[in-house]
């Protein structure tokens, strides 16, 4: 297993190009199952989760051509096996995103239940309940969700909890249903909007994506399209925190600053000067130590849970005492325990981490437990005295494209040690 080795204490300086968003690419790849013609996707990030999704689609009989590095052509007209097997779903929960398109277009699906994961129990009951409300006959057998229907019927779906992939699955199911569907308490994340825009390019009739009420008029058929995936707001935020934690100056290019309001506000509160362009954000810490910031995660446009771990690293070396409260997932503080091993002074109280910032962390061997936890340990390593060795970085390769190259370009002393 590969490891990452990072020696801290260097203020990062320079520009980093942001890749396409993982959490937009995954639902959009699943959405190609709905098209009755080839779909060409641009700005597709090079990530293990994308490779897993491509493998999953190919197993279903979908034809996929990889063009230049970032363009993929997908033709689902000959899809014939409507199964997402356990061996793939267990490595990537987002495989659940094929459920809505399969039931919507082909009237059948067998998708392995994802089960729990490192950050919480993460049930998918709302995905299943929504499809049932649209008329799908669903049973849970031997760890699989088995769904059948002649054709889904539009319905009013009130989501009890805001769920990102739940909203996406139901929106994808609804585009092929008979009649109108309304999704209430829908997730407002930019990735939901990106998916809706791609579906609209394929001929879907969707209104209200980005608000908490989405209206979908079902159509008989969606066609091919060409669509470019939005930039990754979490990758952007992660590199900006890298600049802040190291006292440096980092420009994230090819991004969407308007997707990062809550994160940029917290970086400013931490003492960073932020300059916003149309497609770039520059963070300048001017060599200063960050100030502690209190965080409470919330669905978009609130502070993203996917940036919580990175801010935990920032608070670990910041001036002052902070509280980070995680409201989305029940067990998303594994990184905090690893940071303690690097000398962080923090304690977990229920769903809050109380952190007294220390002058500096010390490099140590640490273990990555999930994607964002791994990123936060890289950031902690960039701020620490000495060398940090991060194990199990397959987590990071699921969601950050070439992280060691991008950080090295900013001046970090980082390298991958093949395992
Ligand atoms: N929930 C339910 N029932 C459901 C679905 C969700 O109770 O049927 C609960 C969850 O347990 C959780 C809350 O609702 O407490 C919100 O979870 P959500 O469904 O929104 O999460 P998700 O769709 O599984 C996506 C991202 C995550 C991100 C969350 C929250 C993708 C592929 N994944 O997950 O991304 O943390 O939204 O923003 O879009 C990551 O990229 O590292 C990552 C974990």
């Amino acid at each position: 297993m590969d490891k990452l080795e990072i020696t801290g204490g260097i203020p990062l300086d320079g520009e980093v190009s942001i890749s396409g968003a993982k959490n937009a690419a995954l639902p959009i790849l699943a959405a190609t199952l709905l098209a009755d013609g080839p779909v060409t996707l641009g700005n597709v990030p090079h990530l293990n989760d994308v490779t897993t999704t491509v493998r999953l689609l190919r197993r279903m009989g979908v034809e996929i051509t990889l063009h230049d590095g970032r363009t993929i052509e997908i033709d689902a007209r000959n899809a014939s096996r409507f199964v997402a097997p356990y061996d793939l779903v267990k490595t990537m929960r987002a495989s659940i995103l094929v459920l809505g398109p399969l039931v919507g277009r082909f009237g059948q699906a067998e998708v392995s239940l994802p089960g729990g994961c490192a950050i919480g129990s993460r049930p998918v009951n709302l995905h299943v309940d929504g499809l049932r409300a649209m008329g799908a006959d669903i049973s849970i057998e031997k760890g699989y969700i088995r769904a059948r229907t002649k054709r889904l019927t539009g319905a009013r779906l009130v989501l009890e909890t805001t769920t990102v992939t739940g909203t996406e699955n139901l929106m994808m199911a609804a585009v092929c249903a008979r009649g109108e569907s309304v999704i209430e308490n829908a997730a407002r994340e930019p990735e939901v909007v990106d998916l809706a825009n791609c579906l609209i390019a394929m001929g879907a009739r969707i209104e209200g994506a980005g608000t908490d009420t989405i209206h979908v008029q079902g159509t008989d058929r969606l066609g091919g399209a060409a669509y470019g995936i939005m930039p990754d707001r979490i990758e952007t935020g992660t590199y900006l925190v890298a600049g802040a934690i190291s006292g440096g100056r980092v420009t994230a290019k090819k991004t969407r600053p308007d997707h990062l309001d809550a994160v940029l506000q917290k970086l400013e509160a931490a003492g960073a000067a932020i300059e916003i362009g149309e497609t770039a954000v520059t963070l300048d810490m001017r060599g200063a130590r960050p100030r502690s910031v209190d965080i409470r995660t919330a669905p978009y446009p609130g502070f993203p849970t996917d940036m919580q771990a990175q801010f935990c690293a920032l608070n670990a070396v910041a001036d002052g005492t902070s509280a980070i409260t995680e409201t989305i997932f029940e067990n998303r503080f594994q990184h905090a325990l690893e940071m303690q091993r690097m000398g962080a002074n923090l304690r977990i109280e229920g769903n809050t981490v109380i952190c007294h910032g220390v002058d500096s962390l010390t490099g140590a061997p640490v273990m990555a437990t999930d994607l964002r936890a791994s990123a936060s340990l890289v950031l902690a390593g960039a701020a620490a005295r000495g060398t940090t060795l991060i194990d199990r970085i397959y987590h990071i390769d699921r969601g950050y494209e070439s992280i060691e190259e991008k950080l090295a370009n900013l001046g970090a002393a980082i390298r991958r040690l093949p395992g």
Side-chain angles (χ1 to χ4, degrees), residues 21-210:
K22 169 179 84 80
N23 289 348
L26 302 182
I28 287 174
L29 283 165
T32 62
L33 283 166
L34 292 161
D36 203 6
V39 178
T40 305
L41 297 178
N43 202 30
V44 180
H46 285 195
L47 299 170
N48 283 355
D49 275 8
V50 168
T51 311
T52 304
T53 308
V54 164
R55 197 174 304 144
L56 176 62
L57 293 174
R58 279 190 170 138
R59 281 212 206 165
M60 294 179 186
V62 174
E63 285 156 37
I64 300 185
T65 317
L66 308 174
H67 288 296
D68 73 65
R70 314 208 162 268
T71 308
I72 301 189
E73 194 180 306
I74 305 171
D75 189 341
R77 278 175 292 190
N78 294 325
S80 56
R81 289 181 297 280
F82 309 118
V83 182
Y86 179 63
D87 65 312
L88 289 180
V89 177
K90 75 174 184 212
T91 64
M92 191 188 68
R93 300 179 51 84
S95 312
I96 190 74
L97 284 163
V98 299
L99 180 64
L102 287 179
V103 181
R105 170 136 187 252
F106 303 105
Q108 53 176 308
E110 276 181 43
V111 177
S112 171
L113 270 171
C117 79
I119 62 175
S121 60
R122 304 185 74 182
V124 291
N125 56 307
L126 301 174
H127 306 225
V128 169
D129 291 351
L131 290 173
R132 278 195 177 125
M134 297 168 86
D137 184 7
I138 301 188
S139 59
I140 311 287
E141 285 167 44
K142 297 183 185 157
Y144 277 76
I145 304 168
R146 290 180 207 275
R148 292 278 178 283
T149 182
K150 268 215 160 71
R151 186 177 177 188
L152 294 174
T153 313
R156 179 167 167 256
L157 308 167
V158 183
L159 301 178
E160 176 186 300
T161 306
T162 308
T163 156
V164 177
T165 51
T167 301
E168 293 166 344
N169 241 337
L170 297 175
M171 187 165 72
M172 290 189 280
V175 294
C176 286
R178 194 181 309 113
E180 188 189 36
S181 298
V182 183
I183 307 174
E184 292 189 27
N185 197 24
R188 292 180 281 169
E189 269 66 5
E191 293 78 9
V192 173
V193 178
D194 211 39
L195 170 64
N197 287 339
C198 179
L199 291 168
I200 290 167
M202 289 158 59
R205 290 187 292 164
I206 301 172
E207 277 174 20

Side-chain angles (χ1 to χ4, degrees), residues 122-364:
R122 304 185 74 182
V124 291
N125 56 307
L126 301 174
H127 306 225
V128 169
D129 291 351
L131 290 173
R132 278 195 177 125
M134 297 168 86
D137 184 7
I138 301 188
S139 59
I140 311 287
E141 285 167 44
K142 297 183 185 157
Y144 277 76
I145 304 168
R146 290 180 207 275
R148 292 278 178 283
T149 182
K150 268 215 160 71
R151 186 177 177 188
L152 294 174
T153 313
R156 179 167 167 256
L157 308 167
V158 183
L159 301 178
E160 176 186 300
T161 306
T162 308
T163 156
V164 177
T165 51
T167 301
E168 293 166 344
N169 241 337
L170 297 175
M171 187 165 72
M172 290 189 280
V175 294
C176 286
R178 194 181 309 113
E180 188 189 36
S181 298
V182 183
I183 307 174
E184 292 189 27
N185 197 24
R188 292 180 281 169
E189 269 66 5
E191 293 78 9
V192 173
V193 178
D194 211 39
L195 170 64
N197 287 339
C198 179
L199 291 168
I200 290 167
M202 289 158 59
R205 290 187 292 164
I206 301 172
E207 277 174 20
T211 75
D212 60 7
T213 308
I214 300 178
H215 290 260
V216 181
Q217 301 290 339
T219 49
D220 288 338
R221 178 186 169 273
L222 295 188
Y227 192 77
I229 288 162
M230 64 176 255
D232 197 312
R233 63 193 168 98
I234 305 300
E235 189 196 20
T236 307
T238 302
Y239 286 108
L240 295 179
V241 175
I245 205 168
S246 66
R249 180 186 157 89
V250 167
T251 299
K253 294 189 308 183
K254 296 192 193 161
T255 190
R256 284 278 305 263
D258 57 319
H259 289 164
L260 282 141
D261 290 341
V263 170
L264 297 180
Q265 273 168 25
K266 290 296 176 186
L267 287 169
E268 277 183 330
I274 302 283
E275 208 182 294
I276 296 175
E278 216 167 288
T279 57
V281 192
T282 299
L283 170 142
D284 193 348
M285 208 60 197
R286 303 192 183 102
R289 181 179 179 192
R291 289 192 296 269
S292 288
V293 284
D294 290 336
I295 304 272
R296 188 178 177 83
T297 63
Y300 191 84
F303 187 92
T305 172
D306 290 344
M307 284 300 302
Q308 178 260 105
Q310 299 87 319
F311 272 75
C312 195
L314 189 67
N315 278 341
V317 295
D319 184 16
T321 298
S322 59
I324 295 186
T325 303
E326 171 59 58
T327 72
I328 310 288
F329 295 113
E330 66 264 32
N331 183 29
R332 212 176 193 183
F333 286 141
Q334 295 294 317
H335 48 277
L337 301 172
E338 293 298 293
M339 284 174 204
Q340 270 177 343
R341 304 187 53 256
M342 300 173 72
N345 180 0
L346 43 81
R347 65 175 195 280
I348 301 173
E349 280 182 14
N351 65 341
T352 300
V353 174
I354 313 282
C355 183
H356 304 281
V358 293
D359 287 338
S360 68
L361 297 173
T362 318

